[in-house]
């Protein structure tokens, strides 16, 4: 392979550029780019990934000799160039040049390889550093840190077992005990000098060789160690998990060290080109005079603000007077105005160049500014939106880039209440569960849904804590601030319903032991009683003791602009899963263009309806069932009217009854007694019926269209409610558009009789009223068989809506309600990349979706194709559905904005 292998960067000559990431790695390429922009960067050079590949192919000993032969000359020239620019000599005893050596692969591989700092120090150079800095302690501390890093990373002196402590730290602890001090910072220069001796002895005795004092030997050792690290276990595992090819190799960056702790004309700091918290277009950051980089973040000294504006804002918050601020905490702008102007110029150049908010690190060494790093800065969801929209308005980025800049899931930060950041700082979680439904909630614990309602009526904020929730808990859930369950996964009842309500929920917190009788919950021996305060973070799954104040979300103007932009680019429509007019109104406000799933059974639990439902279940014959259904009809009709009104002319997909009937009857003695009294039947009859309804696998049992097939009168009542409601709303001047959906179909012979009842009922109602509405009859595709025979079903059904919850459950053979006991382990082991109930399993379940979509389209060109499983709100899944050519996704109302953005990203991506 031809030279060069070494690419220099600095003020005199820069060989690389940002575009050369493959050859120079990400870090090396960006350092070179900064130099090209005329930004002052400590000079250095990058040894290319090709050198690493050549070395790796030859193996350790042969590789070492070959590599040295190959790059020795170029590296020596590189070091000479650094010496020339810094005016110092490598290995010089009076004023030594010190180097940092860092790995840098094409893709960032955090933690793969430690950095080596202060390379070039030895017993002579340390004296030079002490003299030059006038700070003996600093010089010896730098030296002992270097030996420690080098001994570990390059020489391999690490703990030999999990139980063993880091051998260097053990030596430090012994010395601290001998000196009677607690902290490293309490060790003085003489102590640190002693430590250097002990470290060297440790290396000699443990490794049988000496710590190298020749700077060149140090340098070669470090370079080879970085190349070796490409093939350490950690790196291999990381590569496998992230699909990074072994052939890439890593580059090595060798760079002059600069110090911010060489007196009062030195400083170090971090800065952001815009506010990472709010997104405001305001340069900001912190610095410390006479300090090392880690001091700024260590929190021992109070960092000062870089800009005067920032400094004044800080002083107001910290309640520091203007006089004290100016005297004790002046901004960099006031303290070093010239250097501040230089920094300002650099930040402007970098942001304009990279066209994104930059996170910068800098050091001022004896009055000279050096930029050490620039990278795209991490930011809050709110800042993401504001920065993207403002950069678009400022003409810095185009619409496509603006859309891709916002991570859809981060919109959650804007849509739900969040904890007060200050209050959260002092809180430690007592348990963790799944982040089932985002938001922050704080309230008093109750253990029963009816008690949640009662407490709510008294004006109290409650957190409903349950082992797991069931449809009976619905009303309690709807009034609670948040829901915590000890069992259940991401598609458990609690999780699905809470997401639908936009309510904070943490599910499956296994460490929480719930005793609903005693009205207590216990975590690790500590007990909470009814009425105690608890706080939940549904975005992280954390459970906190006590009361943490929350703040309401604000949908700012930039949010609206982003949504409008998304709508202009997306192809997929976004509908919402909504069961009530309130849900529907929220969904429309958040931009839904239809209801993709109304789970009608949710309406059955409200008020006296449950009694009519139970009467129907208990009835001995069809006539009895029809009597009960007649009571339900007006209630269902009213529900549907509400939905049609809320949705205007937009489609409303109404699914016929789906869950197994046992979900509607009480299973405990007390509940059965009450039911017997209310219905005036012997309790034995109730018990018998409940037993009859018991199923071993209710999810694969008597549910979905199987109910309508065996009890056609249920389908008839629901269809009548739909069409009567539609005609009533039409008579008011509305434009209802019902889409009636048959659940859990596996054969067209199940679909046909159900569709026939719907159509016949529609005709009957239309004839009675002398009016009509346009409607569709379609099916869910949620059994694997339905996907396989989608061509035959598609001939009869006007739309398909993929029920990817059940489709995942049945395709993978994982119970939606029980997978929590093994799925996390599966994901951890990498058997599946992620929870297939959260993000669609593209290779397996996804194949069925693609195939059914094609088969459907082949037999009915205008068939409407949608998704109403939980995946409809997952950005990665939405990308997949876009490619599969579906027409819409449907998700819980609060995920609608996320889905709109994800759909736009899929379209422009
Ligand atoms: C589904 O199975 O994906 C679906 C939407 O139906 P449910 O979750 O109500 O079973
Ligand atoms: Mg289903």
């Amino acid at each position: 392979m031809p030279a060069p292998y070494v690419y220099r960067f600095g003020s005199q000559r820069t060989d690389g550029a940002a575009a050369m990431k493959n050859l120079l790695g990400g870090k090396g390429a960006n350092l070179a780019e900064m130099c090209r922009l005329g930004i002052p960067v400590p000079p250095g050079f990058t040894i290319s990934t090709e050198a690493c590949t050549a070395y790796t192919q030859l193996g350790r000993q042969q590789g070492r000799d070959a590599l040295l032969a190959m790059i020795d000359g170029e590296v020596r020239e590189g070091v000479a160039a650094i010496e020339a620019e810094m005016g110092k000599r490598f290995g010089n005893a009076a004023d030594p040049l010190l180097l940092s050596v860092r790995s840098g692969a094409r893709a960032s591989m955090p933690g793969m390889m430690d950095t080596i700092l202060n390379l070039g120090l030895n017993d002579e150079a340390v004296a030079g550093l002490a003299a030059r800095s006038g700070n003996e302690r600093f010089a010896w501390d730098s030296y002992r840190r270097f030996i420690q890093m080098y001994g570990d990373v390059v020489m391999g002196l690490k703990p030999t077992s999990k139980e063993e402590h880091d051998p260097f730290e053990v030596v430090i602890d012994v010395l601290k005990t001998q000196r009677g001090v607690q902290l490293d910072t309490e060790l003085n220069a003489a102590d640190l000098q002693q430590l250097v001796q002990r470290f060297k002895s440790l290396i000699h005795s443990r490794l049988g060789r000496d710590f190298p004092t020749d700077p060149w030997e140090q340098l070669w050792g470090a370079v080879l160690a970085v190349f070796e690290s490409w093939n350490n276990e950690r790196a291999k595992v990381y590569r496998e998990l992230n699909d990074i090819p072994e052939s890439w190799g890593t580059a090595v960056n060798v760079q002059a060290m600069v110090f911010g702790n060489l007196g009062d004309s030195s400083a170090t700091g971090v800065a952001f080109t815009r506010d990472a918290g709010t997104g405001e277009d305001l340069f900001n950051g912190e610095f410390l005079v006479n300090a090392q980089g880690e001091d700024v973040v260590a929190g021992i000294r109070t960092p000062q603000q870089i800009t005067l504006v920032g400094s004044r804002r800080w002083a107001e918050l910290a309640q520091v007077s203007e006089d004290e601020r100016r005297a004790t905490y002046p901004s960099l702008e006031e303290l070093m105005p010239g250097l501040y102007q230089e920094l300002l110029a650099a930040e402007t150049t970098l942001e304009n160049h990279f066209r994104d908010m930059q996170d910068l690190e800098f050091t001022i060494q004896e009055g000279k500014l050096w930029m050490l790093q620039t990278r795209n800065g991490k930011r809050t969801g709110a800042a993401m939106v504001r920065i993207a929209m403002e950069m678009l308005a400022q003409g810095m980025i185009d619409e496509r880039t603006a859309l891709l800049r916002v991570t859809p899931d981060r919109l959650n930060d804007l849509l739900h209440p969040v904890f007060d950041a200050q209050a959260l700082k002092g809180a430690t979680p007592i348990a963790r569960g799944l982040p089932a439904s985002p938001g922050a909630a704080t309230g008093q614990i109750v253990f029963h849904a009816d008690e949640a309602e009662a407490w709510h009526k008294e004006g109290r904020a409650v957190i409903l804590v349950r082992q797991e929730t069931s449809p009976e808990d619905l009303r309690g859930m709807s009034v609670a601030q948040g829901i915590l369950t000890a069992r259940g996964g991401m598609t458990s009842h609690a999780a699905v319903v809470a997401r639908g309500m936009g309510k904070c929920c943490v599910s499956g917190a296994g460490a929480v032991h719930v005793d609903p009788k005693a009205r207590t919950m216990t975590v690790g021996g500590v007990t909470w009683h009814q009425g105690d305060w608890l706080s939940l973070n549904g975005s992280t799954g954390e459970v906190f003791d006590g009361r943490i104040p929350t703040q309401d979300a604000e949908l700012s103007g930039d949010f609206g602009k982003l949504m409008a932009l998304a709508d202009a680019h997306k192809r997929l429509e976004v509908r919402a899963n909504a069961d009530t007019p309130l849900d529907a109104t929220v969904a429309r406000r958040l931009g839904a263009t239809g209801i993709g799933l109304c789970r009608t059974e949710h309406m059955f639990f409200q008020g006296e309806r449950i009694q009519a439902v139970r009467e129907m279940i208990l009835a001995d014959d069809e006539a009895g069932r029809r009597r009960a259904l007649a009571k339900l009809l007006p209630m269902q009709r009213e529900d549907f009217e509400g939905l049609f009104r809320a949705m205007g002319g937009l489609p409303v997909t109404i699914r016929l009854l789906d869950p197994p009937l046992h979900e509607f009857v009480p299973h405990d003695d007390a509940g059965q007694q009450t039911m017997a009294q209310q219905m005036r039947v012997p309790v034995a009859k109730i018990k018998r019926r409940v037993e009859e309804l018991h199923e071993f696998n209710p999810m694969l049992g008597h549910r979905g269209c199987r109910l309508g097939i065996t009890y056609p009168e249920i389908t008839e009542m629901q269809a009548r409610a739909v069409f009567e409601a539609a005609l009533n709303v039409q008579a008011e001047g509305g434009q209802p558009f019902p889409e009636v959906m048959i659940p859990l179909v596996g054969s067209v012979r199940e679909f046909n009789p159900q569709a026939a009842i719907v159509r016949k009922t529609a005709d009957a109602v239309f004839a009675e009223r002398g009016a009509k509405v346009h409607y569709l009859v379609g099916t869910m595709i949620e059994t694997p068989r339905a996907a396989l025979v989608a061509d035959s079903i598609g001939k009869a059904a006007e739309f398909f809506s993929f029920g990817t919850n059940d489709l995942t459950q049945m395709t993978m053979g994982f119970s939606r309600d029980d997978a929590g006991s093994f799925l996390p382990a599966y994901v951890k082991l990498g058997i599946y990349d992620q929870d297939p109930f959260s993000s669609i399993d593209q290779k397996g379940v996804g194949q069925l979706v693609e195939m059914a979509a094609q088969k459907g389209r082949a037999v009915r060109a205008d068939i409407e194709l949608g998704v109403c499983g939980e995946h409809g709100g997952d950005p990665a899944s939405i990308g997949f559905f876009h490619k599969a050519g579906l027409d819409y996704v449907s998700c819980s109302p609060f995920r609608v904005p996320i889905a709109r953005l994800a759909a736009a990203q899929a379209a422009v991506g």
Side-chain angles (χ1 to χ4, degrees):
M1 241 173 280
Y5 292 104
V6 171
Y7 293 77
R8 286 195 222 157
F9 54 85
S11 65
Q12 303 303 314
R13 177 178 138 185
T14 295
D15 305 324
M20 293 163 72
K21 286 208 166 65
N22 293 358
L23 197 60
L24 304 180
K27 195 177 290 156
N30 267 1
L31 284 169
E33 191 75 7
M34 280 208 279
C35 292
R36 283 190 178 275
L37 294 168
I39 307 269
V41 170
F45 55 86
T46 305
I47 308 175
S48 77
T49 53
E50 283 180 353
C52 177
T53 323
Y55 170 75
T56 313
Q57 277 165 1
L58 286 167
R60 191 168 283 184
Q61 194 47 50
Q62 216 193 335
R64 180 190 163 93
D65 297 342
L67 183 74
L68 292 196
M70 227 163 59
I71 64 174
D72 181 73
E74 286 182 72
V75 168
R76 284 181 192 276
E77 280 170 22
V79 171
I82 303 176
E83 288 177 332
E85 190 168 336
M86 296 304 284
K88 293 173 193 285
R89 302 291 305 265
F90 190 43
N92 180 289
D95 184 14
L97 169 69
L98 302 184
L99 299 173
S100 70
V101 178
R102 296 177 160 101
S103 69
R106 215 189 272 195
S108 141
M109 292 174 62
M112 179 184 109
M113 162 82 195
D114 301 295
T115 295
I116 296 166
L117 302 176
N118 302 328
L119 188 138
L121 275 175
N122 55 26
D123 295 348
E124 288 84 47
V126 71
L129 184 64
R132 269 293 285 119
S133 63
N135 186 341
E136 206 167 342
R137 190 186 183 284
F138 154 69
W140 283 101
D141 194 40
S142 304
Y143 192 18
R144 74 96 190 164
R145 280 171 197 269
F146 169 50
I147 299 178
Q148 198 172 342
M149 267 186 213
Y150 197 92
D152 170 358
V153 177
V154 180
M155 303 184 80
L157 179 44
K158 295 176 191 294
T160 47
S161 69
K162 266 203 302 221
E163 289 74 35
E164 195 189 329
H165 291 299
D166 179 85
F168 292 105
E169 290 298 332
V170 172
V171 174
I172 297 178
D173 285 342
V174 170
L175 185 71
K176 281 200 289 199
T177 312
Q178 287 169 348
R179 295 289 183 270
V181 299
Q182 303 273 324
L183 302 171
D184 291 9
T185 45
E186 293 173 280
L187 295 171
N188 63 27
D191 296 334
L192 294 164
Q193 190 168 357
Q194 177 61 236
L195 208 50
V196 163
Q197 291 315 320
R198 292 190 188 183
F199 279 177
K200 285 192 192 168
S201 312
L202 174 75
I203 289 175
H204 183 82
S205 67
R206 291 279 289 263
L207 303 176
R209 47 200 168 105
D210 284 326
F211 177 76
T213 49
D214 172 42
W216 278 98
E217 195 183 336
Q218 292 173 354
L219 180 57
W220 288 121
V223 169
L224 290 167
V226 173
F227 283 162
E228 290 278 323
S229 74
W230 182 250
N231 279 318
N232 69 26
E233 274 318 301
R234 240 180 339 170
K236 278 188 192 162
V237 171
Y238 188 92
R239 281 204 295 272
E240 249 165 55
L241 289 176
N242 292 281
D243 285 332
I244 297 176
E246 195 191 319
S247 60
W248 281 5
T250 181
V252 182
N253 297 297
V254 178
Q255 194 178 13
M257 291 285 304
V258 289
F259 296 96
N261 52 352
L262 293 182
D264 283 347
S265 62
S266 299
T268 190
V270 294
F272 297 89
T273 60
R274 298 187 185 215
D275 192 311
T278 64
E280 186 181 358
D281 187 3
L282 186 75
F283 179 48
N284 65 96
E286 296 180 329
F287 76 104
L288 278 175
V289 174
N290 195 14
Q292 299 194 70
E294 61 232 48
D295 300 339
V296 181
V297 280
I300 300 164
R301 288 167 58 188
T302 304
Q304 292 153 242
Q305 299 297 309
I306 291 177
T307 64
L308 181 55
V309 180
S311 187
R312 290 206 167 122
R313 285 190 190 177
W314 166 84
E316 203 176 315
L317 284 174
Q319 297 186 317
V320 168
S321 72
E322 174 62 12
D323 286 346
E324 189 188 349
R325 186 200 68 74
R326 221 179 306 120
T328 319
Y329 306 105
S331 63
L332 188 72
E333 191 173 352
E334 295 157 287
L335 198 66
M336 303 180 181
L339 287 162
Y340 170 75
Q341 286 305 329
E342 259 185 68
L343 183 63
L344 193 64
E347 73 93 18
T348 309
T349 307
L350 287 168
E351 187 182 275
N352 287 342
H353 183 71
F354 289 102
R355 293 164 191 271
D356 198 356
M357 187 263 271
Q358 297 295 296
D359 164 353
L360 312 167
E361 283 177 23
F362 66 92
T363 283
I364 294 168
Q365 177 175 312
E366 298 177 315
K368 168 138 183 68
L369 172 72
W370 297 102
M371 300 303 295
L372 303 183
Q373 174 160 296
T374 187
R375 58 183 167 190
N376 294 340
K378 299 213 183 322
R379 62 205 80 175
T380 64
M384 251 180 207
V385 173
R386 179 161 175 187
I387 292 173
M389 288 301 104
E390 290 189 354
M391 285 195 168
L392 175 66
Q394 290 159 354
M396 289 176 72
I397 55 176
D398 59 14
E399 293 187 348
R400 176 179 176 276
T401 310
L403 284 168
L404 293 172
R405 279 283 165 83
V406 181
T407 309
D409 270 321
R410 299 297 300 280
L411 293 179
N412 264 330
D413 303 5
L414 283 79
L415 293 170
H416 293 278
V418 288
F419 282 125
D420 179 90
Q422 212 53 37
L424 193 62
K425 272 189 189 152
T428 3
I430 54 161
R432 257 171 229 277
L434 296 171
S437 180
T442 192
Q444 290 175 278
I445 306 174
V446 290
F447 294 92
H448 298 274
D450 54 346
E451 287 164 15
E453 282 183 72
W455 285 42
H456 173 72
K457 276 206 189 102
E458 291 168 19
R460 296 199 245 183
V462 298
I463 300 281
L464 179 62
V465 179
R466 303 281 293 155
Q467 185 68 14
E468 53 195 333
T469 61
S470 74
E472 290 168 62
D473 296 330
L474 217 61
R475 294 216 317 195
M477 293 170 77
S478 75
V479 298
Q481 304 297 309
I483 298 142
L484 169 65
T485 68
R487 287 193 51 193
M490 291 296 281
T491 56
S492 64
H493 178 267
V496 172
V497 172
R499 280 198 292 274
M501 293 174 173
K503 192 165 295 279
C504 165
C505 173
V506 173
S507 69
V512 177
H513 182 80
V514 183
D515 185 343
K517 262 214 181 108
R519 293 182 168 68
T520 58
M521 64 168 239
T522 313
V523 185
V526 184
T527 301
W528 281 261
H529 297 88
Q530 172 170 296
D532 289 345
W533 284 83
L534 203 66
S535 298
L536 306 177
N537 186 340
S539 312
T540 61
E542 289 164 315
V543 182
F544 298 95
D545 177 35
R547 183 177 192 171
I548 306 177
T550 59
Q551 289 169 345
D552 268 348
E554 259 216 44
L555 301 186
S556 66
D558 287 319
F559 177 84
K561 284 184 206 159
L562 176 69
M563 286 297 108
L565 188 63
D567 289 343
H569 286 270
K570 71 180 172 43
R571 183 186 59 73
L572 279 172
E573 287 293 319
V574 179
R575 296 188 186 179
N577 293 358
D579 306 328
T580 65
L582 182 67
D583 289 350
T585 309
V586 172
R588 266 196 92 176
R589 190 162 55 81
L590 294 173
T593 49
I595 289 179
L597 172 62
C598 164
R599 290 177 165 103
T600 47
E601 62 270 16
H602 286 172
M603 300 165 163
F604 284 3
F605 286 95
Q606 289 162 19
E608 61 209 77
R609 298 164 184 214
I610 188 71
Q611 207 171 324
V613 174
R614 287 173 174 172
E615 253 175 61
M616 173 193 80
I617 294 172
L618 217 60
D620 298 315
D621 52 17
E622 189 187 323
R625 274 193 297 279
R626 283 191 182 275
R627 273 197 298 278
L629 285 164
K631 293 186 193 167
L632 278 172
L633 173 69
M635 303 186 231
Q636 280 254 280
R637 189 170 56 217
E638 202 185 308
D639 294 331
F640 296 145
E641 284 168 2
L643 286 180
F644 292 137
R645 281 190 201 108
M647 295 310 289
L650 299 170
V652 176
T653 313
I654 294 167
R655 179 177 75 181
L656 302 179
L657 190 65
D658 181 65
L661 296 182
H662 80 93
E663 286 194 9
F664 299 99
V665 292
H667 293 88
D668 59 315
D669 275 344
Q672 290 174 353
Q673 292 281 1
T674 318
M675 179 172 163
Q677 276 161 13
Q678 281 172 344
M679 303 185 63
R680 297 199 190 96
V681 292
V683 76
K685 181 170 178 176
I686 309 263
K687 283 196 190 303
R688 204 177 334 116
R689 187 70 183 121
V690 171
E691 268 162 38
E692 280 165 15
L693 289 172
H694 172 79
E695 292 176 307
F696 287 104
N697 284 312
M699 274 285 154
L700 300 176
H702 196 174
R703 62 172 284 224
C705 65
R706 298 158 204 172
L707 291 167
I709 299 276
T710 45
Y711 305 121
E713 53 280 5
I714 300 179
T715 304
E716 203 183 304
M717 180 282 286
Q718 291 200 292
R720 177 164 279 277
V722 168
F723 294 112
E724 288 184 356
L727 290 182
N728 288 349
V729 172
Q730 182 167 269
E732 296 165 5
Q735 296 171 292
F737 181 10
E739 299 191 2
V740 181
M741 180 154 82
I742 320 282
L744 219 73
V745 160
S747 158
V748 72
R749 292 192 214 165
E750 279 173 307
F751 178 82
N752 281 340
Q754 289 291 293
I757 295 174
V758 174
R759 295 207 169 97
K760 210 172 118 204
T761 308
D763 289 343
V765 174
F766 296 164
E768 286 162 24
R769 299 285 182 98
K772 278 185 180 185
V773 290
H774 176 59
Y775 71 96
L776 301 179
V777 187
T779 183
M780 293 191 72
I781 302 284
E782 54 182 342
T783 70
R785 191 179 193 280
L788 293 166
V789 302
D791 40 0
S792 86
I793 298 177
K795 284 186 194 136
E798 290 168 298
F799 66 86
F800 286 170
S801 176
F802 291 94
T804 46
N805 301 334
D806 272 309
L807 193 60
T808 299
Q809 163 166 271
M810 292 189 221
T811 304
M812 321 266 314
F814 291 167
S815 158
R816 286 162 71 167
D817 304 295
D818 305 311
S821 56
F822 58 87
L823 252 188
Y826 264 50
V827 173
K828 209 162 164 201
L829 289 168
I831 296 174
Y832 289 107
D833 290 341
Q834 53 224 332
D835 179 345
F837 290 110
S838 301
S839 195
I840 192 116
D841 160 47
Q842 299 189 9
K843 288 191 187 131
V845 180
Q847 219 183 109
L848 287 174
V849 172
E850 283 172 322
M851 185 188 71
Q854 278 161 18
K855 281 177 182 265
R857 281 253 153 84
V859 294
R860 184 188 290 270
D862 64 348
I863 192 166
E864 184 184 76
L865 302 172
V867 172
C868 65
E870 291 304 299
H871 305 89
D874 168 60
S877 309
I878 292 169
F880 177 80
F881 297 137
H882 171 88
K883 278 204 215 98
L886 305 193
D887 298 307
Y888 71 85
V889 293
S890 186
C891 56
S892 62
F894 282 91
R895 287 202 76 82
V896 166
I898 294 167
R900 285 158 76 195
L901 177 60
Q905 291 186 345
V908 302

